[in-house]
Amino acid sequence: MTLLSSLLHVTNFRNPFFRTLVPSIATAFAIQGAIAVPSILAQSERFYDLSGSLTYLSVTALSLYLPTLRARAAASLAGTAKPAFPSLLTAFTGTGGPHGLNWRQVVLSTAVSIWATRLGSYLFQRVLADGHDSRFDEIKKQPPKFLGAFVAQATWVSLCLLPILGLNSIPHTLLSTLPVLTLTDILGLSLFLGGFTFEILADRQKSAWSAAKKRKEHDEDFLTSGLWSKSRHPNYFGESTLWTGIAVTAAGVLGSSVGLRGMGMAGMGGVGRLVGVGMCAVSPAFVTFLLLKVSGVPLSEEKYDKRYGDRKDYQQWKKNTPMFVPKF
């Protein structure tokens, strides 16, 4: 028995929903563990952020194709023809057959993959340019704490991806019975596009501002124009919004009768719907908590308060500009 067959056998739970959800989350921790070992030995944080993005991409892809891998493994054992891997295009035509994909799975998986690729490449280029990441100057010298950072990253990936992993864990035979388009689809995708665009524009404005300062085209110490005049942290607001959009779209499925049957909670009524919607809500709630209380806004505010807290122009900008939700 091959390693893949063994892993599929071990995770062949009675509930089909867990056959995809559990291995996908386990993969996030496995990848981070594999990256952690050489990073700890080398005391290097160079590939930390990049590995986070690669984990997003790998886990998302696995959750899409794991049901087909199981079907192919079963066919191999039975000596029957193996089903083909589903085409992404047929997800939009409904012609993918019993092992096909639903368009929501493809769209949300693609959306988070684009986001992860952009974030990973941006952070990787930044650490290469700076030569180090100040967050790890002390942590990387302490193996237990450095390992904890990788475990935390695996947890971050798993919780953020929970709506998508839940959606991708619903059997296609059930997803094919959903309406073509619902209000939650429109609302969720609109929030994602709006938040993603907001984040990109905010990051580009800050990058352009920083580049202009290096060229000595201005002597400003902090950015107060563009989206940064509407919010002190517009990039973080965009981040929270895009994950909310993903959660809303997925919740429209997991909180429906189709979602309840897919999760094995068909007879649980309101409790089952609460579980499905709650699984989706964890993602934006966790992201927003991190941004507002842990590693985003607090660190940035503390840094700038120390540098410019006694300056009148800084205090004026801080007083007139919302911390998070933009004011237009």
Side-chain angles (χ1 to χ4, degrees):
M1 183 177 289
T2 65
L3 177 60
L4 176 60
S5 298
S6 300
L7 292 175
L8 293 177
H9 177 72
V10 170
T11 57
N12 191 31
F13 303 106
R14 178 174 299 179
N15 187 334
F17 184 73
F18 293 117
R19 294 175 193 169
T20 296
L21 183 65
V22 173
S24 298
I25 293 175
T27 298
F29 285 87
I31 293 174
Q32 285 300 295
I35 301 296
V37 173
S39 297
I40 291 172
L41 292 176
Q43 293 188 1
S44 172
E45 75 279 25
R46 177 169 295 186
F47 297 104
Y48 180 80
D49 289 316
L50 182 61
S51 72
S53 293
L54 291 176
T55 303
Y56 269 105
L57 295 173
S58 301
V59 171
T60 300
L62 177 65
S63 68
L64 274 178
Y65 291 104
L66 188 54
T68 305
L69 286 173
R70 288 190 182 280
R72 288 173 63 87
S76 180
L77 290 175
T80 57
K82 296 181 181 179
F85 284 101
S87 165
L88 298 182
L89 293 178
T90 58
F92 299 92
T93 62
T95 58
H99 301 290
L101 298 171
N102 181 264
W103 72 264
R104 295 171 182 83
Q105 295 175 311
V106 174
V107 169
L108 291 190
S109 296
T110 300
V112 78
S113 296
I114 293 173
W115 170 85
T117 300
R118 174 190 171 274
L119 179 66
S121 58
Y122 172 77
L123 294 177
F124 186 56
Q125 290 174 0
R126 188 176 71 177
V127 76
L128 289 180
D130 295 344
H132 73 106
D133 186 332
S134 59
R135 295 175 300 170
F136 296 94
D137 286 346
E138 296 300 323
I139 293 178
K140 65 184 179 183
K141 301 174 185 178
Q142 306 172 61
K145 288 188 176 181
F146 202 14
L147 175 62
F150 284 94
V151 173
Q153 183 154 253
T155 303
W156 169 58
V157 172
S158 301
L159 292 180
C160 286
L161 280 181
L162 203 54
I164 295 176
L165 298 182
L167 178 63
N168 291 350
S169 299
I170 303 293
H172 176 72
T173 51
L174 292 175
L175 291 177
S176 62
T177 65
L178 287 168
V180 175
L181 190 68
T182 65
L183 180 60
T184 52
D185 296 328
I186 297 172
L187 177 59
L189 294 178
S190 296
L191 285 171
F192 172 82
L193 289 173
F196 191 47
T197 301
F198 210 84
E199 182 179 38
I200 291 175
L201 289 177
D203 285 341
R204 286 185 176 180
Q205 288 175 359
K206 189 164 189 178
S207 295
W209 177 85
S210 298
K213 185 173 183 179
K214 289 181 180 179
R215 295 192 299 266
K216 301 187 183 303
E217 295 177 6
H218 67 79
D219 59 357
E220 298 173 348
D221 291 317
F222 47 91
L223 177 58
T224 61
S225 59
L227 295 180
W228 300 82
S229 68
K230 311 300 181 183
S231 167
R232 300 204 300 273
H233 304 280
N235 52 339
Y236 294 151
F237 172 75
E239 179 86 355
S240 175
T241 301
L242 71 88
W243 284 109
T244 300
I246 288 175
V248 168
T249 303
V253 176
L254 294 181
S256 69
S257 57
V258 168
L260 296 186
R261 293 201 301 272
M263 293 186 294
M265 299 182 178
M268 299 183 67
V271 174
R273 295 182 191 279
L274 185 62
V275 171
V277 173
M279 181 182 298
C280 297
V282 165
S283 175
F286 180 68
V287 169
T288 305
F289 172 76
L290 287 181
L291 293 176
L292 291 179
K293 299 297 183 181
V294 183
S295 62
V297 171
L299 294 181
S300 180
E301 293 275 307
E302 181 182 2
K303 180 177 70 174
Y304 279 91
D305 284 349
K306 285 182 179 179
R307 290 181 182 178
Y308 314 116
D310 58 345
R311 286 174 44 170
K312 186 176 181 179
D313 57 346
Y314 175 75
Q315 289 295 338
Q316 193 71 17
W317 172 68
K318 191 171 181 180
K319 178 181 178 181
N320 296 329
T321 308
M323 180 184 70
F324 194 66
V325 180
K327 178 182 178 181
F328 292 98

